Amino acid sequence: MTSKNLSPKRQRGVTSPPSWEPSIVVFACNWCSYAGADTAGVSRIQHQPHFRMIRVMCSGRIQPGFVLRAFEKGADGVLVSGCHFGDCHYIFGNERAVEQFEKTKNVVKLLGLEEGRLRLEWISAAEGARFAEVINEFTDQVRKLGPSKLSARKLSAISYQLSAISQRVRRS
């Protein structure tokens, strides 16, 4: 390898720090939010690519344990998204989502994670632009917070505690 192949920074022995991008998990309602994400894609609306979408039948199905598991597996942020009030295919699923989200938010606080790592949004199937806006805003928000403080070492130390908390929350 010759010096021609190296960038000026590398030639001087200075390397740039590796760029970090947040890992976002999105739990999306099958009927509205998942379809909204699809609308964004079909419409070729630009948005951040740093997320994994998990399709669920209803946002009311998202238990605190699902969100905790996402953080346990290395997510830096979790977005829960469902139908607008009055549009839920399961009548009151999004009302249940609010209840579950509040429980989850309390557990996340107990674990010492910033509230900004967890978000609840309502996005309909026709709102592809809104999906892109929400995912862009949330990714930027999590990027500013930096990597999650729950490292693999810390998680292995508290995995039993997470399971116990999750079971208690499910019972309530």
Side-chain angles (χ1 to χ4, degrees), residues 4 14 26 98 123 150 156 162 171:
K4 287 181 182 180
V14 178
V26 179
V98 171
I123 301 171
L150 289 179
S156 64
L162 284 174
R171 289 183 201 142

Side-chain angles (χ1 to χ4, degrees), residues 7-8 18 21 25 36 58 77 94 99 110 125 143 148-150 161:
S7 69
E21 290 297 339
V25 172
C58 180
N94 45 16
E99 294 169 8
L110 286 172
R143 187 179 289 123
S148 174
K149 294 176 186 173
L150 289 179
Q161 293 172 343

Side-chain angles (χ1 to χ4, degrees), residues 1-18:
M1 189 186 255
T2 66
S3 62
K4 287 181 182 180
N5 297 345
L6 299 175
S7 69
K9 284 185 180 180
R10 295 202 90 185
Q11 288 177 6
R12 291 187 297 246
V14 178
T15 59
S16 59

Side-chain angles (χ1 to χ4, degrees), residues 67-139:
V67 174
L68 296 177
R69 184 73 172 188
F71 283 122
E72 182 183 6
K73 292 295 185 181
D76 297 305
V78 176
L79 172 67
V80 177
S81 183
C83 304
H84 289 279
F85 286 101
D87 290 339
C88 180
H89 283 67
Y90 300 104
I91 315 300
F92 60 88
N94 45 16
E95 293 172 18
R96 173 101 168 116
V98 171
E99 294 169 8
Q100 295 286 41
F101 185 79
E102 290 302 319
K103 290 177 188 177
T104 305
K105 201 162 64 168
N106 291 334
V107 174
V108 167
K109 281 183 199 176
L110 286 172
L111 292 174
L113 288 175
E114 301 92 340
E115 282 187 47
R117 295 189 183 279
L118 184 62
R119 188 166 173 177
L120 176 64
E121 289 287 340
W122 312 120
I123 301 171
S124 78
E127 294 180 311
R130 173 146 167 71
F131 174 82
E133 177 186 326
V134 167
I135 199 68
N136 288 338
E137 286 175 7
F138 187 59
T139 303

